[in-house]
Amino acid sequence: MTDSRTRLLGLIGDPVEHSLSPPLHSFLLARAGLNYCYLVFRVKRDALGAALAGVRALGIRGLNVTIPHKEAVVPLLDELTPEAEAMGAVNVISNEEGVLIGANTDGWGFLKPLEVRGVPLLERRAVVVGAGGAAAAAAHALLSAGAEVALVNRTPARARALARRLSRLGPVEAAAPPALPALLRGAELLVNATPVGMRPHVGETPVPRELLREGLIVYDLVYNPPETRLLAEARARGAVTIGGLEMLVWQGVKALEIWTGAHFGEGDVRAALDHLRGGLGDG
Ligand SMILES: NC(=O)c1ccc[n+]([C@@H]2O[C@H](COP(=O)([O-])OP(=O)(O)OC[C@H]3O[C@@H](n4cnc5c(N)ncnc54)[C@H](OP(=O)(O)O)[C@@H]3O)[C@@H](O)[C@H]2O)c1
């Protein structure tokens, strides 16, 4: 229920129809008893400036930003947090009395599931498959936490470009898919940052099952379905698995903390995960 004190939050992107952000944020806001409302806004690229003027004019408290606006929004904001500045991408806008501050909680959200499992990252080797926005966030976070990163991408030139961009943060190399077996033998962590295995292509996997083993942590950023073929095969072969829904919930929790000042803990995250899994189904 809303009243005259209800504050507005939302998501801008295109498309936004299937976003999990509304059920996630609405669930956590209700759980914490916070008087906010979260809506989605499909915003075309050429309307981005007008949308932000609307945020200022209407006093909208904050927005999530998704594809294709995460980079385009950067020059339109008043300030950036150091993470957003370093990533050149914003997924959270906070309206501080008319001053729009861009933040990036994807890296933090990516690391949190590893942190709660006590996974050490310092000087550990990680293989990230993919070289798009999610791979950039994961690799950036891993390098900042002291890990060594190998980027493996279908289009190797894109992996090389990303590796060059991140190289000031720590040891990062780019490789083509044939290097995957050798790289995985020496790695502790595998991250899938491609959409391979996402619904409706649930029979596909980015990494052959023979390369998965006990002692490897397999983290799939795909969250629909919650358990991908990659994760099911990794689990069957004795690997520790982490699904993309966890990153999604943690980056959302951090955004809510920025907007509302409330704190959300592991119990809230577990409840939100159950809520979202229930909506997505298991398969
Ligand atoms: N859990 C979360 O919170 C979260 C957050 C962000 C994204 N994600 C998920 O992460 C995935 C990637 O998102 P993104 O934003 O990084 O996308 P993106 O910027 O479009 O990048 C996609 C990457 O996947 C590769 N790729 C695409 N199809 C492939 C295929 N059939 N075989 C091999 N490689 C393929 C692309 O390779 P090329 O360079 O060769 O095209 C590219 O490197 C999506 O499933 C998204 O839902 C999850």
Side-chain angles (χ1 to χ4, degrees):
M1 227 179 29
T2 60
D3 59 30
S4 58
R5 284 188 302 274
T6 305
R7 303 290 313 269
L8 182 57
L9 299 169
L11 167 71
I12 55 170
D14 184 21
V16 287
E17 288 74 20
H18 301 292
S19 172
L20 291 183
S21 292
L24 169 63
H25 289 290
S26 301
F27 175 83
L28 288 169
L29 289 165
R31 186 175 161 98
L34 295 165
N35 192 3
Y36 291 78
C37 172
Y38 189 101
L39 300 176
V40 298
F41 302 100
R42 185 173 177 197
V43 174
K44 295 279 177 209
R45 209 178 267 270
D46 61 3
L48 202 49
L52 295 185
V55 169
R56 289 189 178 91
L58 299 174
I60 292 173
R61 177 66 187 96
L63 291 177
N64 279 129
V65 183
T66 190
I67 287 168
H69 302 320
K70 284 187 177 188
E71 281 110 27
V73 85
V74 167
L76 304 174
L77 300 172
D78 300 310
E79 290 173 26
L80 295 178
T81 62
E83 293 80 21
E85 178 100 53
M87 295 281 308
V90 160
N91 75 321
V92 177
I93 297 172
S94 180
N95 181 0
E96 304 295 337
E97 319 261 331
V99 177
L100 300 190
I101 301 175
N104 194 311
T105 65
D106 280 336
W108 190 89
F110 169 81
L111 287 180
K112 201 68 188 168
L114 295 164
E115 186 190 311
V116 298
R117 287 169 173 80
V119 175
L121 291 172
L122 191 63
E123 291 170 11
R124 302 300 166 111
R125 276 186 275 184
V127 174
V128 176
V129 183
H140 187 280
L142 287 167
L143 289 167
S144 303
E148 299 171 14
V149 175
L151 295 165
V152 179
N153 195 43
R154 179 176 66 176
T155 310
R158 207 171 165 200
R160 284 197 297 274
L162 180 58
R164 265 197 305 278
R165 196 149 65 76
L166 297 174
S167 58
R168 65 184 170 77
L169 294 173
V172 51
E173 63 175 304
L180 202 51
L183 287 171
L184 281 177
R185 272 196 295 277
E188 283 93 3
L189 174 66
L190 163 67
V191 179
N192 174 39
T194 77
V196 178
M198 200 163 103
R199 207 184 296 274
H201 306 289
V202 295
E204 295 175 9
T205 179
V207 178
R209 109 175 42 212
E210 320 72 83
L211 301 184
L212 309 172
R213 55 171 166 78
E214 202 179 333
L216 191 65
I217 298 163
V218 179
Y219 190 166
D220 197 341
L221 303 194
V222 170
Y223 50 79
N224 188 9
E227 178 159 277
T228 57
R229 176 174 164 192
L230 172 67
L231 292 183
E233 291 182 347
R235 201 156 44 81
R237 289 182 66 92
V240 170
T241 60
I242 307 173
L245 220 42
E246 288 192 41
M247 171 178 170
L248 184 94
V249 171
W250 279 112
Q251 65 75 28
V253 155
K254 190 70 179 172
L256 276 183
E257 290 185 357
I258 292 171
W259 296 323
T260 69
H263 176 74
F264 296 87
E266 284 180 45
D268 300 306
V269 167
R270 271 195 300 276
L273 283 168
D274 286 345
H275 177 69
L276 293 180
R277 280 194 196 108
L280 287 170
D282 288 326

